[in-house]
């Protein structure tokens, strides 16, 4: 399984863009990059995923480098409700077993 | 869709008692996962099922833990006998093998063994 490296914690001012980096230098060619988040006392929530191309949905944007060794999750206008732990996870399919690392604890500050 | 439904939300039991946690996956999802979360160890995958068949139970900590999925709409995680170190939040998640939208998690069961 590919391993990931994420910052332990980050702060972001409310209303500003939050950029969360992830290194996954050992990702295999058929592994997607999935992002989940976990708000305190809730179950993890799927955010977005991508293989090679950049992706955008109503929650976030995902930028994947050309060599696929790293990616950045972008929350364009962070709100207090975005305070959570964010997990970056290489995963082959939606039903592949998902191993969660420690993630990045994002604090959005008023 | 009501999402993944777990019950009970909270469970307090005495050491040595049997505990059964329940999960109803999203209708049509054919993969189901049980996770445990503690402050010390984070989110740990215990076991997962594809089409009601257990695929990987290597994360089940001991023989005291067992999981079943008798049909596509129901799964249980049983601990017998329970111990204080089993105290944790237990999450169930489901996914659709035909889609790539990631897992959907339930709200979890907070288990306290005293």
């Amino acid at each position: 399984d590919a391993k990931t490296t994420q910052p332990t914690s980050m702060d972001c001012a409310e209303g500003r863009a939050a950029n969360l980096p992830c290194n996954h230098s050992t990702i295999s060619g058929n592994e997607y990059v999935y992002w989940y988040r976990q708000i305190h006392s809730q179950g993890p929530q799927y955010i977005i995923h991508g293989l090679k191309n950049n992706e955008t949905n109503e929650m976030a944007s995902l930028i994947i480098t050309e060599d696929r060794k790293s990616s950045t999750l972008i929350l364009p206008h962070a709100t207090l409700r975005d305070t959570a732990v964010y997990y970056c996870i290489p995963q082959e399919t939606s039903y592949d077993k998902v191993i969660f690392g420690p993630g990045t604890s994002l604090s959005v500050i008023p | 869709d009501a999402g993944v439904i777990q019950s009970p939300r909270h469970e307090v039991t005495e050491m040595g008692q049997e505990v059964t946690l329940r999960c109803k996956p999203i209708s049509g999802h054919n993969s189901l996962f049980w996770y445990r979360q503690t402050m010390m160890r984070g989110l740990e995958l215990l076991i997962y099922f594809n089409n009601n068949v257990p695929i990987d139970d290597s994360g089940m900590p001991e023989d005291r833990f067992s999981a079943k999925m008798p049909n596509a709409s129901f799964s249980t995680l049983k601990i017998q006998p329970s111990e204080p170190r089993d105290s944790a939040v237990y999450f169930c998640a489901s996914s659709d093998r035909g889609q790539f939208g990631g897992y959907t998690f339930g709200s979890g069961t907070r288990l306290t063994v005293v």
Side-chain angles (χ1 to χ4, degrees), chain A residues 3-43:
Chain A
K3 295 184 178 178
T4 61
T5 304
Q6 298 180 253
T8 302
S9 63
M10 294 181 62
D11 293 339
C12 178
E14 187 178 18
R16 303 298 295 270
N19 296 283
L20 293 98
C22 178
N23 286 324
H24 34 77
S25 58
T26 60
I27 194 169
S28 66
N30 54 352
E31 283 184 312
Y32 290 74
V33 180
Y34 277 75
W35 282 81
Y36 290 80
R37 74 179 182 184
Q38 186 174 23
I39 296 170
H40 183 60
S41 299
Q42 297 183 20

Side-chain angles (χ1 to χ4, degrees), chain B residues 1-45:
Chain B
D1 196 327
V4 175
I5 300 172
Q6 293 187 245
S7 63
R9 288 298 308 275
H10 302 275
E11 176 80 36
V12 179
T13 191
E14 292 185 347
M15 182 174 62
Q17 297 297 307
E18 176 180 296
V19 176
T20 299
L21 311 181
R22 298 172 175 80
C23 176
K24 177 178 169 56
I26 289 175
S27 178
H29 280 191
N30 40 29
S31 295
L32 184 140
F33 309 82
W34 282 100
Y35 284 84
R36 176 174 70 175
Q37 187 171 35
T38 61
M39 288 292 292
M40 291 292 293
R41 301 175 68 92
L43 271 163
E44 301 175 276
L45 176 64

Side-chain angles (χ1 to χ4, degrees), chain A residues 32 34 36 38 42-44 46 49 87 91-98 100, chain B residues 31 33 35 37 43 45 48 56 91 95-97 99-103 105-106:
Chain A
Y32 290 74
Y34 277 75
Y36 290 80
Q38 186 174 23
Q42 297 183 20
Y46 162 80
H49 72 280
Y87 301 96
Q91 186 178 343
E92 280 196 27
T93 64
S94 64
Y95 51 88
D96 204 18
K97 66 178 184 180
V98 170
F100 287 82
Chain B
S31 295
F33 309 82
Y35 284 84
Q37 187 171 35
L43 271 163
L45 176 64
Y48 77 99
D56 186 346
F91 290 103
S95 71
D96 182 348
R97 289 174 66 93
Q99 301 294 328
F100 283 85
Y103 294 7
F105 280 78

Side-chain angles (χ1 to χ4, degrees), chain A residues 62-83:
Chain A
L62 175 61
I63 309 296
I64 303 174
T65 58
E66 193 169 343
D67 63 8
R68 300 208 331 118
K69 291 185 177 182
S70 65
S71 60
T72 301
L73 179 75
I74 301 172
L75 308 178
H77 305 287
T79 71
L80 299 179
R81 289 190 299 271
D82 292 322
T83 293

